[in-house]
């Protein structure tokens, strides 16, 4: 309830050759769909449960407090032939599920932006070298992306976790430096962290909306020689290549 980026996300995966299914939590609870029947799971952006409990916590709780559902998600994440992706609100939700996601023990939670306000605009990301299956072959790329969140500041349980986490994406300034300050860093995350991945790269979470920036036309400016598809489409094609 409250998720609003499922159409853009479905388009991203459809263009990459997947069959995308819109599955509501009520479908899983009622047994109309089973996670065991799928190869990929994507938690989309939005404001699940109105963010009443903050940062995807209500969504995660709806899973963790139901034993059958928690077990189903744990089994799905444990399967080595599956991938999972959390975007914005879905990123917040999956961060709350890190105890049942293999290799996600160092993931942060996501809390109120340092600006104390909702940030919705384009930001610049640099793809870091990571294990993420979604970001393979993209390291070093600097690409604009849509951001739209009020609770995107990565907060780690300890300095050890921050040092150990596998970072996939960082906010950077126009000259390529890590964005430590506003406005290039829209939320105050340390080291400009915008996305992280699990130990084996099968689970990735990111706050920015790559799925809302799929076309070159989505940018305020793009080089004339760019094709219709923006560089972010490669994320989803990478998932297809990995699955095959």
């Amino acid at each position: 309830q409250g998720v609003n980026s499922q159409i853009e996300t479905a388009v991203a995966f459809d263009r990459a050759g997947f069959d995308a299914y819109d599955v509501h939590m009520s479908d899983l609870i009622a047994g109309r769909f089973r996670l065991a029947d799928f190869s990929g799971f994507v938690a989309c952006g939005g404001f699940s449960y109105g963010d009443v409990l903050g940062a995807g916590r209500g969504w995660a709780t709806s899973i963790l407090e139901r034993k059958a559902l928690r077990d189903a998600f744990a089994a799905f994440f444990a399967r080595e032939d599956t991938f999972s992706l959390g975007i914005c609100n879905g990123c917040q939700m999956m961060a709350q599920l890190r105890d049942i996601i293999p290799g996600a023990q160092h993931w942060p939670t996501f809390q109120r932006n340092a600006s104390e306000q909702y940030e919705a605009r384009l930001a610049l990301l640099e793809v870091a070298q990571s294990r993420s299956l979604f970001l393979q072959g993209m390291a070093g790329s600097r690409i604009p992306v849509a951001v739209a969140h009020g609770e995107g500041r990565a907060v780690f349980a300890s300095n050890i976790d921050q040092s150990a986490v596998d970072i996939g994406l960082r906010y950077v300034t126009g000259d390529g430096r890590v964005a430590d300050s506003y406005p290039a860093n829209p939320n105050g995350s340390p080291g400009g962290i915008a996305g992280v991945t699990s130990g084996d790269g099968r689970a990735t979470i990111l706050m920015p909306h790559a799925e809302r920036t799929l076309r070159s036309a989505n940018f305020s400016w793009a080089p004339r020689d760019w094709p219709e598809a923006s560089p972010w489409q490669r994320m989803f094609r990478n998932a297809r290549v990995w699955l095959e």
Side-chain angles (χ1 to χ4, degrees), residues 10 13 29 45 54 61 71 74 113 121 146 154 172 180 197 208 215 243:
F13 280 93
I29 293 169
T61 299
D71 290 348
N113 293 346
R121 51 190 163 81
V172 293
D180 289 317
T197 192
R215 302 175 61 223
L243 193 63

Side-chain angles (χ1 to χ4, degrees), residues 49-182:
Y49 300 95
D51 268 356
V52 171
L53 296 178
R57 184 178 167 193
W59 191 358
T61 299
S62 71
I63 296 168
L64 297 174
E65 295 300 316
R66 291 179 170 87
K67 185 179 186 305
L69 210 51
R70 179 188 175 115
D71 290 348
F73 271 89
F76 178 87
F77 292 136
R79 280 171 46 201
E80 294 185 355
D81 62 343
T82 65
F83 65 82
S84 53
L85 178 67
I87 305 170
C88 197
N89 192 214
C91 166
Q92 298 164 343
M93 182 275 274
M94 283 183 61
Q96 299 282 347
L97 298 183
R98 61 188 178 278
D99 288 345
I100 62 172
I101 300 175
Q105 67 271 22
H106 299 298
W107 283 4
T109 58
F110 293 87
Q111 300 182 20
R112 186 71 175 163
N113 293 346
S115 66
E116 291 291 331
Q117 63 185 6
Y118 178 76
E119 302 286 343
R121 51 190 163 81
L122 284 178
L124 184 63
L125 290 188
E126 182 172 77
V127 182
Q129 188 69 51
S130 74
R131 299 181 184 88
S132 174
L133 66 88
F134 293 96
L135 301 174
Q136 293 307 297
M138 298 177 67
S141 301
R142 296 174 189 161
I143 317 169
V145 71
V147 296
H149 58 256
E151 296 175 302
R153 179 170 55 91
V155 176
F156 292 88
S158 68
N159 291 334
I160 293 175
D161 285 327
Q162 184 174 332
S163 299
V165 76
D166 193 358
I167 299 169
L169 298 163
R170 294 183 187 273
Y171 299 105
V172 293
T173 61
D175 58 3
R177 291 178 291 112
V178 172
D180 289 317
S181 59
Y182 188 87

